[in-house]
């Protein structure tokens, strides 16, 4: 059905060499959706360019996890409006924000020049939406508010030739009280294991070496009789010849079962940095966040993972200034950070999201206090960075060469299996996409230096 629309648009655009550009906001799931959008647009004959201000078709793939994303989007829409005054541009806006009723209304009423609006559950209809917009000059709104089905075999244009993200499950059932994701991405639904493994085997055949399994809550993945759960799936992915590095994002601490830990421990291919979102270190706040673990349970889990998995480091997400959070409760977060020594911390200031349970509370923390706590956490985190990086000096790291360094064409850049950037001199023998052994020689604040062995 959508193939017909792809053909129709292709015919209309025939010979025009029209360009497209996608601006992606938010998480890796959105990035993966954008690769699918790119796949469909390329099939329709559009040619990719990076500068969205010069493109004939512009897609904004939106995020609504935090409020500042909205302001950013309005700014970008304003830029396109100006361009539209001088030449034809087709503007399509999709993604999570369009699943929010309030935002959808605002875009429809305040920005009538937007040509296509699509949601997260209707991504696969994009060819039809674009067809209606280009052939009939219709304003298209294609957003549905159901939990969404899983659409397989959409065309996809991947950003890299050796690293690929593969979505294994969609949606979230957790309803953390601050989070809007369950409302815009719908309930949890897992892809069939056969489909996932088929996709990864195909990627391996095409030369892909690094796979990131994606989902809002990957470790609550549900498979079939044979590949029952996330542990089984991880194990199967590691067995695929040609795949050298396996990563996943994001797991939930409450579902981090022993079988998952054991599979990681025995498979060297799996990344040695695991993202374990803490959110808060205080048990009362965690309960109000509906996170389903206590401070002690989190510490115990982290300890168990580190003792069972060789060379493991952890990264995390932390929210400061959740409604009602007191200074003492925030101290518990700092305490956990000191105890666990996270390799990477993604820090967020609590942002009130309409429709969530926490947004209704009347004990919101004043902005000033939220910022103070953020700065304190940042200071603690940054004070650990040097110490953590120095630990790498003298170690041997097996890395995949990702590309030339941004500022120096004589050096390559790669990442350790704990996601640290390493820069090293190019040699004649090695190319982008190769896996090499590096000896780490220097540590800097945000990167390491190494030598090929
Ligand atoms: N305010 C601030 N941060 C949030 N996150 C999710 N919702 C909010 C919110 N309302 C953060 C969480 C999550 C990450 C992806 O975004 O830390 O893990
Ligand atoms: Fe949001 Fe919690 Fe679901 Fe993560 S697990 S997407 S924070 S509701």
């Amino acid at each position: 059905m959508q193939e017909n629309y792809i053909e129709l648009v292709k015919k209309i655009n025939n010979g025009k060499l029209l360009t497209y550009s996608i601006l992606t906001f938010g998480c890796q799931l959105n990035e993966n959706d954008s690769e699918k959008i790119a796949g469909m647009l390329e099939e329709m004959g559009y040619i990719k360019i990076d500068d969205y201000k010069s493109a004939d078709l512009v897609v904004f793939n939106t995020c609504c996890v935090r409020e500042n994303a909205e302001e950013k989007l309005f700014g970008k829409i304003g830029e396109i409006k100006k361009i539209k005054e001088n030449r034809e541009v087709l503007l399509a806006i999709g993604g999570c924000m369009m699943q929010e009723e309030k935002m959808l209304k605002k875009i429809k009423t305040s920005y009538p020049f937007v040509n296509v609006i699509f949601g997260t559950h209707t991504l696969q209809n994009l060819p039809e939406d674009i067809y209606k917009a280009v052939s009939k000059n219709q304003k298209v709104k294609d957003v549905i508010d159901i939990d969404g089905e899983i659409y397989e075999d959409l065309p996809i244009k991947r950003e890299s030739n050796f690293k690929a993200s593969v979505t294994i499950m969609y949606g979230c059932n957790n309803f953390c009280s601050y989070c809007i994701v369950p409302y815009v991405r719908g309930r949890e639904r897992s892809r069939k294991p056969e489909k996932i493994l088929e996709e990864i085997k195909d990627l391996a055949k095409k030369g892909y070496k690094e796979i990131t399994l994606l989902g809002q809550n990957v470790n609550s993945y549900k498979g079939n009789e044979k590949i029952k759960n996330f542990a089984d799936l991880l194990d199967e992915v590691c067995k695929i010849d040609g795949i050298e590095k396996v990563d996943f994002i994001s797991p939930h601490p409450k579902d981090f079962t022993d079988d998952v830990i054991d599979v990681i421990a025995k498979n060297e291919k799996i990344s040695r940095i695991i993202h374990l979102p803490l959110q808060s270190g205080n048990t009362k706040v965690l309960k109000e966040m509906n996170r389903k673990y206590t401070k002690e349970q989190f510490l115990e889990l982290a300890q168990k993972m580190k003792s069972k998995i060789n060379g493991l480091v952890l990264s995390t997400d932390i929210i400061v200034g959740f409604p009602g959070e007191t200074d003492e409760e925030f101290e518990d977060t700092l305490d956990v950070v000191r105890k666990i020594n996270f390799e990477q911390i993604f820090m967020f200031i609590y942002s009130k999201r309409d429709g969530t349970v926490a947004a209704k509370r009347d004990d919101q923390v004043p902005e000033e206090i939220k910022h103070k706590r953020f700065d304190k956490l940042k200071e603690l985190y940054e004070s650990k960075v040097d110490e953590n990086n120095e630990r790498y000096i003298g170690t041997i790291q097996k890395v995949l060469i990702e590309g030339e360094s941004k500022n120096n064409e004589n050096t390559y850049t790669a990442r350790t299996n704990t996601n640290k950037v390493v820069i090293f001199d190019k040699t004649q023998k090695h190319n982008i996409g190769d896996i090499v052994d590096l000896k780490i020689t220097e540590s800097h604040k945000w990167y390491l230096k190494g030598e090929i062995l």
Side-chain angles (χ1 to χ4, degrees):
M1 173 79 166
Q2 290 298 319
E3 283 89 38
N4 293 344
Y5 289 109
I6 287 180
E7 285 310 314
L8 286 168
V9 177
K10 210 165 154 181
K11 256 195 205 143
I12 295 171
N13 289 347
N14 194 14
K16 286 193 204 148
L17 294 180
L18 296 178
T19 57
Y20 77 93
S21 186
I22 306 173
L23 219 61
T24 309
F25 301 85
C27 66
Q28 291 190 45
L29 280 150
N30 264 15
E31 279 168 21
N32 192 233
D33 279 350
S34 287
E35 291 185 329
K36 291 174 190 156
I37 295 169
M40 291 187 269
L41 295 179
E42 299 240 334
E43 299 257 314
M44 288 183 245
Y46 289 94
I47 303 157
K48 185 181 167 176
I49 57 168
D50 287 335
D51 178 18
Y52 65 92
K53 289 185 191 158
S54 311
D56 299 299
L57 193 164
V58 178
V59 182
F60 292 150
N61 190 9
T62 63
C63 163
C64 59
V65 169
R66 284 168 295 274
E67 203 173 4
N68 53 10
E70 288 170 11
E71 295 312 314
K72 250 198 219 158
L73 178 71
F74 296 144
K76 297 282 177 224
I77 298 178
E79 288 175 15
I80 302 297
K81 182 177 185 230
K82 276 218 179 92
I83 300 170
K84 263 174 167 288
E85 283 163 12
N86 298 314
R87 65 177 176 89
E88 248 181 68
V89 184
L90 197 90
L91 176 58
I93 305 185
C96 295
M97 217 186 259
M98 297 305 105
Q99 295 291 147
E100 268 186 288
E101 215 171 298
K102 199 178 90 186
M103 278 302 291
L104 187 62
K105 246 194 203 149
K106 171 136 192 180
I107 299 282
K108 270 186 2 202
T109 51
S110 311
Y111 303 93
F113 53 88
V114 175
N115 305 87
V116 175
I117 301 175
F118 61 100
T120 54
H121 305 310
T122 47
L123 188 76
Q124 69 290 338
N125 298 345
L126 196 64
E128 182 177 347
D129 299 341
I130 302 267
Y131 171 71
K132 287 181 180 157
V134 294
S135 67
K136 303 182 181 158
N137 208 8
Q138 281 180 10
K139 297 237 166 302
V140 184
K141 184 205 119 202
D142 189 5
V143 181
I144 50 171
D145 188 19
I146 56 159
D147 287 343
E149 290 167 38
I150 293 182
Y151 291 88
E152 293 289 351
D153 306 319
L154 289 182
I156 185 158
K157 180 173 179 355
R158 297 186 180 276
E159 287 290 317
S160 157
N161 295 325
F162 46 87
K163 259 168 104 161
S165 296
V166 174
T167 302
I168 64 165
M169 51 98 62
Y170 297 85
C172 178
N173 290 350
N174 291 325
F175 289 94
C176 299
S177 63
Y178 50 81
C179 184
I180 198 158
V181 168
Y183 302 91
V184 295
R185 286 270 178 182
R187 295 294 65 71
E188 279 177 12
R189 45 217 190 271
S190 298
R191 280 179 75 196
K192 291 204 166 65
E194 313 83 78
K195 282 286 179 190
I196 297 169
L197 295 171
E198 195 181 290
E199 182 177 346
I200 300 175
K201 281 178 191 157
D202 184 53
L203 286 164
K205 260 193 226 141
K206 290 180 176 144
Y208 282 84
K209 292 181 178 155
E210 192 172 334
I211 296 293
T212 302
L213 304 176
L214 293 182
Q216 226 59 254
N217 193 4
V218 282
N219 50 350
S220 70
Y221 175 80
K222 288 184 187 56
N224 57 19
E225 283 286 290
K226 238 179 88 207
I227 300 167
K228 290 192 189 64
N229 50 30
F230 185 58
D232 293 348
L233 182 70
L234 253 186
D235 208 22
E236 289 302 314
V237 173
C238 290
K239 286 182 195 154
I240 298 174
D241 277 343
I243 299 301
E244 305 286 347
K245 291 178 100 179
V246 179
D247 200 356
F248 53 87
I249 195 158
S250 244
H252 193 302
K254 79 175 167 55
D255 297 316
F256 224 110
T257 46
D258 286 349
D259 54 352
V260 178
I261 297 177
D262 292 341
V263 167
I264 299 168
K266 76 166 195 198
N267 277 301
E268 289 283 327
K269 285 184 182 179
I270 301 176
S271 167
R272 261 35 187 169
I273 183 162
I274 292 178
H275 190 67
L276 200 65
L278 169 67
Q279 312 299 2
S280 162
N282 177 267
T283 298
K284 176 170 158 275
V285 174
L286 284 167
K287 189 159 180 22
E288 288 170 8
M289 285 179 162
N290 196 25
R291 290 292 292 176
K292 311 220 162 62
Y293 50 84
T294 63
K295 173 184 182 184
E296 288 69 30
Q297 283 167 334
F298 189 94
L299 285 169
E300 241 170 68
L301 173 65
Q303 193 44 47
K304 180 162 73 179
M305 287 167 67
K306 283 192 178 185
S307 69
K308 283 190 162 186
I309 304 168
N310 209 358
L312 182 74
V313 296
L314 296 171
S315 62
T316 200
D317 288 345
I318 292 175
I319 298 176
V320 302
F322 180 80
E325 184 189 63
T326 63
D327 280 338
E328 293 78 60
E329 287 161 0
F330 173 62
E331 280 301 319
D332 270 332
T333 298
L334 299 178
D335 186 46
V336 175
V337 169
R338 278 187 210 104
K339 288 193 165 112
I340 295 187
N341 195 12
F342 293 105
E343 188 85 1
Q344 236 178 333
I345 305 181
F346 298 91
M347 294 169 276
F348 305 107
I349 288 174
Y350 169 76
S351 166
K352 197 170 152 187
R353 306 282 61 207
D354 278 353
T356 62
V357 172
K360 295 187 188 81
R361 290 179 56 157
D362 53 17
D363 51 356
Q364 302 289 326
V365 175
E367 285 304 314
E368 197 191 315
I369 296 180
K370 287 199 246 182
H371 280 92
K372 271 201 183 128
R373 288 185 192 157
F374 183 89
D375 292 344
K376 212 165 166 185
L377 175 62
K378 188 162 170 251
E379 196 183 317
L380 172 63
Y381 166 52
E382 289 188 355
S383 73
K384 298 270 187 181
V385 171
D386 290 335
E387 201 182 303
N388 281 341
N389 286 352
E390 277 162 21
R391 281 198 332 251
Y392 287 86
I393 295 179
T395 62
I396 312 292
Q397 303 282 335
K398 190 172 162 190
V399 300
L400 187 148
I401 304 178
E402 293 189 355
E404 276 176 5
S405 310
K406 265 196 199 127
N407 314 321
N408 185 349
E409 57 182 38
N410 298 318
T411 58
Y412 275 141
T413 165
R415 278 168 202 273
T416 65
N417 66 355
T418 53
N419 208 29
K420 278 261 173 259
V421 173
V422 196
I423 291 170
F424 52 100
D425 285 340
K426 270 186 183 175
T427 65
Q428 294 294 335
K429 273 198 313 208
H430 300 100
N431 297 311
I432 294 167
D434 285 354
I435 290 181
V436 292
D437 280 328
L438 289 182
K439 183 172 181 184
I440 306 302
T441 52
E442 285 176 36
S443 78
H444 296 259
K445 193 119 199 146
W446 304 118
Y447 66 96
L448 305 170
K449 273 193 171 170
E451 286 169 4
I452 294 191
L453 287 178

